[in-house]
Amino acid sequence: MDFINKYFPSLGDEQRKQFERMMQLYPEWNEKINVISRKDIENLEVNHVLHSLGITKFINFTPGTRVLDLGTGGGFPGIPLAVFYPEVQFHLVDRIGKKLKVAQDIADQLGLQNVSIQHGDVKEVKGTFDFVVSRAVMPFNDLVPLVKRLIAHEMRNSLPNGLICLKGGDLSGEIQKFKTQVLIDELSSYFKEEFYKTKKIVYLPL
């Protein structure tokens, strides 16, 4: 919890307890189902939980916002965000059922009432959302056409509704088509750990 406390000192007591419990649950589950690579589970807080929370540095979701976490795997970034934003609704979707089993159990054990989970493909998702978030699921230019129909028209946040991706490395190729529309925010401006040197948030209003 050192890094979460460092960057988010104003968390409430309940949120702190939930993050602490989360740090226990993921390694326990990882012994049974490989949600996070074995060599990376020791970096759970910095490389996964804190990384997910990077979105909160870019936008502060207003209460009532609806967020779709596409390709959530074991619950990233959706579950850390759901702890951070208890008044925001998160719908977590993935095609791998065993990983969603982990996400569901952790959401249940943390007592998260603002999380729903769907096993399936993006084409099976119904309804609309203010934002779609994803964490290195697929190339940006492949993702955009799949999620356009899922973005609601009414705006309730400081930024227009759209797609927010956590990405790393050289993005010039995959965002070429949208380069006049995308906004890229360097996570290294918020988090000083080595992991964040090449990590970015890519936002596209839709």
Side-chain angles (χ1 to χ4, degrees), residues 85-102:
Y85 292 115
E87 296 181 346
V88 171
Q89 296 300 312
F90 291 89
H91 188 56
L92 280 53
V93 177
D94 203 280
R95 290 185 292 186
I96 303 174
K98 66 179 182 179
K99 289 188 176 181
L100 285 180
K101 180 182 177 184
V102 177

